[in-house]
Amino acid sequence: MFPLFGIMKSSEVASQYFKDIHLLLIGVVCLATSIQKWNLHKRIALWMVLSVGSKPTWLLLGFMSCTSLLSMWLSNTSTAAMVMPIVDAVLCQLNSAAPEERALTNSKNSPSKDKEEATKIDLTSFQESNNHLENGNANTEEHEDEPAYDNHSYANQAKSGRLYKTKRDHMMCKAFSLGIAYSSTIGGMATLTGTSTNLIFIEQFELRYPDCQFVNFGSWIAFSFPIAFLVLILSWLWINWLFIGYSFKDMQCCGKIKSPTDVDSRDILKQEYDKLGPLSYQEVVTLVIFLLMALSWFTRDPGFIPGWDSLFGLKGYKSDATSAILFGFLLFIIPGRKPRWWCCGSKEKSRATQLTESTPMITWKEFEECIPWHIVILVGGGFVLAKGCEVSGLSTWVGHRMEPLSNLPVWIIVFTVCLIVTSVTEVASNPATITIFQPILSSMAEGIGVNPLLVIIPATISASCAFLLPVSNPPNAIVFSYGHLTVSDMVKAGLGTNLISMLALWLGLYTWGIPMFDLSRFPEWASHRNMTSLAGP
């Protein structure tokens, strides 16, 4: 449409669809392909969950922590889709009520018969949930009105076929489902590659302000990781209070196992972990590549000391995409079969035994299956839209219309921006939200003499705070499709999580954010850009 209406030439539009940030994404996808192929993500998830104990409160924290960690490097959608089946299997064990609860539920049934019926219910619900996910059913239906809760005779069955014997069982299913959805989104905030929203932000920012050297992979994670950690912990406490309830005894007994239900849930996790066997050669290689890639991002231009970007006196020639492509390319070269000197147990059955010596860690076909082309096109389209707003003068015009905001205190402007972006992203896609708002906010900041980062960074993180509805983002839709939640559940929990996110963002921005990005003054790199736009064609 831009070439047809004379806004941009077709060649200019096409050039926006493949940028440096796309190569960064390709390098990360190479790593994600190897992680998923060799089940390193499953090992990390199960290990972390087993480390926190089997009490529901701590088990929820374990799942939320490992989900956040994985979503920092994998896409939020694939992380939720990978973790939720594991959670559902554990919920089947947790929903097998304790002996005293089973006796109260139906005193006429014998313990053995009651246990057998509960097991049938668990296996049926687990199989239905897996089939539901495998078939890709995107149709999410709201639960029917629930009957009054009664722990002694409670039996609520939703449209999905789920049967909950007690109120506590149903509440735990809701808590774990929301925990996975929220932590998948929270983890993506912490890194530039964690979500497409951050990718769009950094590419648009570097195109508009090429002289700014404050924002890179290391500085972003140093700023946003504490915020994501704070949001994760407070969201865990909020979900616990809302659905599970607090027990001081449970909060203190992280690693202790007391009830048969706790033993059952820990046993199934331990069995899944034992199936993975000892750490394989392929997992070690993937982990080393992952650590080297992350280390290279941190040390390229840390700011307080010269980074490897300054090697040979050629600073500015390298970017985060350089190291991402380098280490991603190595995965196509390193053999996927362990060398003879690799000492493994005699009982280990590695997938590499089925491979020839020439097979690498990942193949191009496997990479093609994992590359999110919809994200590549979406990000490219966002760049085109932002460039069109700039070339046509729309963003400058809107920015000048917002100049009266300069009479307001800066903190009110920031709060208003966060509130507006958070509201819009609940009903629109996160990438589309930041794509539309970033050029406008940049022009507004230049017009009122405020550091653009002071407005754009809160808007970027707020664009990821889509916790309110099933349609707000894909992780919400995935967990909603399991049938544990209603829309009212998500709205009730999402309002609190949105408030927590805004408070954590506010704290981070006005404490370590101001000295880290020098937000207290209007910078030269922004004033130079402002003078250029005013000169105009």
Side-chain angles (χ1 to χ4, degrees):
M1 299 302 293
F2 283 179
L4 289 177
F5 285 95
I7 299 173
M8 295 173 62
K9 294 180 180 179
S10 180
S11 58
E12 295 173 342
V13 172
S15 65
Q16 301 294 319
Y17 274 90
F18 206 83
K19 296 285 188 178
D20 178 76
I21 204 70
H22 289 89
L23 293 175
L24 173 63
L25 179 62
I26 287 175
V28 172
V29 171
C30 290
L31 178 63
T33 303
S34 183
I35 289 175
Q36 296 181 41
K37 177 181 179 180
W38 302 111
N39 277 332
L40 180 60
H41 59 313
K42 189 174 183 180
R43 183 183 295 275
I44 294 173
L46 291 173
W47 177 80
M48 290 189 67
V49 171
L50 285 170
S51 300
V52 299
S54 56
K55 293 287 184 182
T57 297
W58 293 101
L59 196 58
L60 176 61
L61 177 61
F63 273 119
M64 292 181 67
S65 300
C66 69
T67 303
S68 297
L69 179 64
L70 292 172
S71 65
M72 290 171 60
W73 314 101
L74 306 177
S75 72
N76 301 349
T77 305
S78 61
T79 301
M82 181 272 296
V83 176
M84 195 58 196
I86 302 175
V87 173
D88 204 60
V90 175
L91 288 175
C92 288
Q93 296 298 316
L94 293 176
N95 286 350
S96 299
E100 60 272 14
E101 292 176 340
R102 287 198 296 265
L104 289 172
T105 302
N106 190 352
S107 59
K108 296 181 181 179
N109 292 340
S110 64
S112 60
K113 183 179 180 181
D114 202 355
K115 184 176 182 179
E116 181 180 353
E117 291 178 355
T119 304
K120 289 180 180 179
I121 293 172
D122 291 338
L123 294 176
T124 302
S125 60
F126 175 51
Q127 185 174 3
E128 286 176 352
S129 64
N130 280 341
N131 292 338
H132 194 61
L133 183 63
E134 291 172 0
N135 293 335
N137 186 0
N139 296 325
T140 57
E141 297 180 346
E142 190 173 345
H143 289 290
E144 294 177 344
D145 294 337
E146 299 175 1
Y149 285 120
D150 184 354
N151 284 337
H152 301 306
S153 60
Y154 178 72
N156 178 49
Q157 186 169 6
K159 291 182 180 180
S160 61
R162 290 287 184 160
L163 184 63
Y164 310 97
K165 297 179 64 176
T166 66
K167 173 185 176 180
R168 185 172 183 271
D169 291 344
H170 197 183
M171 293 297 102
M172 279 197 302
C173 291
K174 291 182 178 183
F176 276 72
S177 299
L178 288 171
I180 298 306
Y182 292 170
S183 56
S184 298
T185 302
I186 293 168
M189 300 177 187
T191 62
L192 284 175
T193 58
T195 177
S196 56
T197 305
N198 296 348
L199 292 173
I200 292 173
F201 152 74
I202 189 61
E203 183 64 20
Q204 288 191 9
F205 185 81
E206 290 180 348
L207 287 174
R208 190 178 182 93
Y209 307 108
D211 297 332
C212 179
Q213 303 296 325
F214 283 99
V215 184
N216 53 44
F217 189 91
S219 63
W220 179 268
I221 198 172
F223 169 75
S224 59
F225 182 82
I227 296 176
F229 178 78
L230 187 60
V231 174
L232 181 71
I233 297 300
L234 294 178
S235 299
W236 167 64
L237 294 174
W238 167 245
I239 293 173
N240 263 289
W241 179 81
L242 204 60
F243 295 102
I244 298 179
Y246 283 111
S247 171
F248 186 71
K249 182 187 297 185
D250 289 344
M251 295 293 288
Q252 283 189 321
C253 301
C254 175
K256 296 181 180 180
I257 303 175
K258 293 186 176 181
S259 70
T261 307
D262 295 335
V263 175
D264 291 341
S265 60
R266 185 173 180 83
D267 284 346
I268 190 171
L269 291 172
K270 189 67 169 63
Q271 291 171 8
E272 290 294 321
Y273 187 82
D274 291 339
K275 289 178 183 178
L276 299 176
L279 196 67
S280 65
Y281 157 79
Q282 295 80 15
E283 290 175 284
V284 172
V285 171
T286 303
L287 186 59
V288 170
I289 293 294
F290 166 76
L291 294 176
L292 290 176
M293 186 182 292
L295 183 63
S296 68
W297 285 334
F298 280 110
T299 57
R300 181 179 67 85
D301 188 17
F304 56 92
I305 58 173
W308 60 268
D309 185 32
S310 301
L311 291 177
F312 312 112
L314 299 174
K315 185 175 181 179
Y317 279 74
K318 283 82 68 178
S319 68
D320 291 332
T322 307
S323 52
I325 288 293
L326 171 62
F327 291 109
F329 179 69
L330 290 178
L331 292 170
F332 290 99
I333 299 177
I334 300 175
R337 185 169 182 174
K338 63 180 181 294
R340 295 180 179 179
W341 50 265
W342 188 270
C343 182
C344 296
S346 58
K347 295 183 179 181
E348 179 185 1
K349 295 182 180 180
S350 174
R351 291 181 59 186
T353 58
Q354 303 174 0
L355 304 175
T356 61
E357 294 184 1
S358 60
T359 303
M361 288 289 296
I362 61 174
T363 63
W364 184 256
K365 184 178 181 181
E366 293 166 343
F367 168 77
E368 282 185 315
E369 293 174 352
C370 290
I371 184 73
W373 290 111
H374 62 290
I375 297 296
V376 174
I377 300 299
L378 176 65
V379 172
F383 297 154
V384 176
L385 184 59
K387 188 68 174 179
C389 291
E390 179 183 349
V391 171
S392 65
L394 174 62
S395 59
T396 303
W397 180 83
V398 174
H400 289 326
R401 301 287 79 76
M402 293 184 175
E403 284 184 1
L405 291 176
S406 59
N407 299 324
L408 298 175
V410 177
W411 69 270
I412 294 182
I413 298 175
V414 175
F415 176 79
T416 304
V417 167
C418 292
L419 188 62
I420 293 174
V421 173
T422 302
S423 302
V424 172
T425 197
E426 297 292 354
V427 293
S429 70
N430 304 351
T433 302
I434 193 60
T435 299
I436 294 171
F437 276 96
Q438 184 167 339
I440 297 174
L441 295 176
S442 298
S443 298
M444 181 197 73
E446 294 168 6
I448 64 179
V450 174
N451 191 321
L453 285 174
L454 186 61
V455 181
I456 300 174
I457 289 179
T460 302
I461 297 180
S462 296
S464 295
C465 297
F467 304 114
L468 208 60
L469 300 171
V471 297
S472 297
N473 60 29
N476 289 7
I478 288 174
V479 301
F480 189 81
S481 67
Y482 275 75
H484 300 300
L485 296 165
T486 64
V487 174
S488 60
D489 291 329
M490 299 201 73
V491 171
K492 180 170 59 175
L495 287 174
T497 309
N498 278 334
L499 179 60
I500 289 170
S501 302
M502 292 186 66
L503 292 176
L505 175 58
W506 192 268
L507 176 64
L509 188 67
Y510 281 94
T511 51
W512 60 86
I514 288 180
M516 183 179 296
F517 297 114
D518 194 17
L519 302 178
S520 58
R521 65 183 183 87
F522 189 69
E524 294 182 2
W525 47 264
S527 60
H528 175 72
R529 172 66 181 78
N530 195 21
M531 292 175 62
T532 303
S533 62
L534 289 176

